Amino acid sequence: MTRKVGFLVFPEFQILDLTGPLAAFEMPGRNRVPKPYRLQVVSESGGLVKSSSGLSVATERICTSRFDTVIAIGGLGAFQASHSPRVKAFIRRAAKNCRRVTSVCSGTFILAAAGLLDGLRATTHWSAASLLQREYPRIRIESDRIFVKQDSIWTAAGVTAGIDLALALIEEDLGPEAAKAAARQLVVYYRRPGGQSQFSTLLDLEATSERVQRALSYARAHLGKVRSVEQLAKAAGLSARQFGRLFLAETGQTPAKAVEKLRAELARTRIEQSDEPIEAIARTIGFSDPERMRRAFVRTYGQPPQALRRIARVGSVKGEK
């Protein structure tokens, strides 16, 4: 069975919003006959459409042909495209005839303008979330999510999150092994869960020196085994005192605090995405006991682990209805 996937672009679209998902959907077809996906890039007028980077892409004019999945790409021109009667009509028609309608980044504005997201949960690039909420107050914006599935509609955060979205769609169609194989071909981590934050602790720490970056990478890879600052200092090639001073100067926090945040971030993903006992998660990630992890969660997220698991489950049930 070959599924037809349509990518909707417009002048000033973000090139990686298109090429990331496009490449992901290409991968399963390299070793399958017939190919599982037929890919088509469409636009309002057809022909060459210039992206915000200046690179143009050949497109076909939007028409009445049916797709299995439609993906509205994001970019600077999404806001103008969302006001086009032809674009909105295309999206509304797709919502009736397609199995799935999705968006990447500010492509969510196109779905919102077509009325597809009223009363639903959705996400977009973090920088556009506030504007989306003001323009469309009936949407429940989850601005800290990689992607959100709501019924047959999926919305994703910006740029590289489009790859995570595509891998999730591939997994839904062809199974986890096909999605993992595509991820390996793309040389990316097997897709981030939709509930994962658009930001990461490693990004927030903003370490500048190679020594501190090396220590952070070591900590992230060995969270369950890091027990002292001396271990991180050794990874950085410094004495514990030198490392502690350098780390604080670069990140604004102590190594112990940073490790706690890294553990909380990893634990949150496992708590929200699995039924694994919270006590087991605390132990394997490196918290000495569940109570220590609970305190870390309250400091970091304002809520204990049990509350975040309940919220994630409620959202998942709503998305499947």
Side-chain angles (χ1 to χ4, degrees):
M1 175 182 177
T2 299
R3 300 171 173 87
K4 190 175 180 181
V5 181
F7 299 84
L8 174 65
V9 300
F10 40 79
E12 295 293 298
F13 72 94
Q14 166 54 242
I15 192 69
L16 192 53
D17 282 356
L18 170 65
T19 56
L22 195 67
F25 278 108
E26 174 198 351
M27 294 304 143
R30 292 189 169 187
N31 54 10
R32 290 177 182 239
V33 178
K35 292 185 177 182
Y37 297 108
R38 177 186 169 195
L39 311 178
Q40 183 177 353
V41 183
V42 301
S43 66
E44 182 174 2
S45 302
L48 291 176
V49 177
K50 184 179 291 187
S51 69
S52 57
S53 67
L55 181 66
S56 293
V57 172
T59 71
E60 297 183 37
R61 187 176 182 180
I62 55 176
C63 58
T64 58
S65 62
R66 291 192 176 187
F67 293 93
D68 173 82
T69 301
V70 165
I71 303 177
I73 302 306
L76 298 175
F79 311 105
Q80 182 174 348
S82 68
H83 296 296
S84 164
R86 279 181 54 81
V87 168
K88 287 189 285 188
F90 170 73
I91 291 296
R92 290 177 184 134
R93 188 166 60 248
K96 293 180 180 179
N97 299 325
C98 299
R99 185 164 59 96
R100 298 179 298 214
V101 177
T102 75
S103 65
V104 179
C105 195
S106 50
T108 303
F109 281 81
I110 296 175
L111 272 56
L116 270 60
L117 301 179
D118 288 352
L120 303 183
R121 299 178 300 119
T123 193
T124 187
H125 191 282
W126 62 267
S127 66
S130 296
L131 177 60
L132 183 65
Q133 188 69 84
R134 289 196 303 271
E135 293 288 327
Y136 303 97
R138 294 187 60 188
I139 303 173
R140 179 185 166 189
I141 308 300
E142 298 191 354
S143 58
D144 196 36
R145 292 294 182 255
I146 294 294
F147 63 84
V148 172
K149 178 185 180 183
Q150 185 80 81
D151 300 322
S152 61
I153 298 174
W154 303 55
T155 54
V159 199
T160 59
I163 298 176
D164 298 292
L165 171 68
L167 291 172
L169 297 174
I170 292 168
E171 180 176 327
E172 183 176 74
D173 295 340
L174 308 177
E177 290 307 314
K180 290 178 182 178
R184 285 193 292 269
Q185 289 294 324
L186 294 169
V187 196
V188 299
Y189 289 113
Y190 180 49
R191 70 170 179 84
R192 295 171 291 180
Q196 183 171 324
S197 172
Q198 291 188 31
F199 301 99
S200 71
T201 297
L202 288 178
L203 181 62
D204 290 341
L205 290 171
E206 295 183 340
T208 56
S209 72
E210 182 182 348
R211 289 177 183 271
V212 173
Q213 290 174 358
R214 191 162 64 237
L216 284 170
S217 296
Y218 174 86
R220 186 66 178 82
H222 303 86
L223 277 178
K225 299 179 180 178
V226 173
R227 293 286 181 262
S228 67
V229 174
E230 284 75 15
Q231 286 176 266
L232 300 180
K234 184 178 180 180
L238 296 168
S239 69
R241 186 173 183 179
Q242 289 174 319
F243 175 72
R245 288 178 175 176
L246 180 61
F247 193 96
L248 182 62
E250 289 194 13
T251 69
Q253 55 191 277
T254 66
K257 187 68 174 178
V259 169
E260 177 183 277
K261 287 186 175 182
L262 287 169
R263 284 176 173 149
E265 180 179 71
L266 180 58
R268 179 175 179 174
T269 298
R270 291 172 63 169
I271 285 168
E272 292 183 336
Q273 302 294 325
S274 76
D275 294 322
E276 188 177 1
I278 289 176
E279 294 78 7
I281 294 174
R283 183 174 60 255
T284 58
I285 287 179
F287 288 108
S288 58
D289 57 70
E291 175 57 25
R292 188 179 293 272
M293 185 170 78
R294 188 195 70 81
R295 293 197 298 267
F297 266 61
V298 171
R299 282 192 292 268
T300 305
Y301 303 117
Q303 298 184 76
Q306 293 85 347
L308 291 174
R309 173 167 277 178
R310 285 195 297 271
I311 292 170
R313 286 177 174 173
V314 169
S316 176
V317 170
K318 288 181 178 179
E320 294 172 357
K321 289 182 178 178

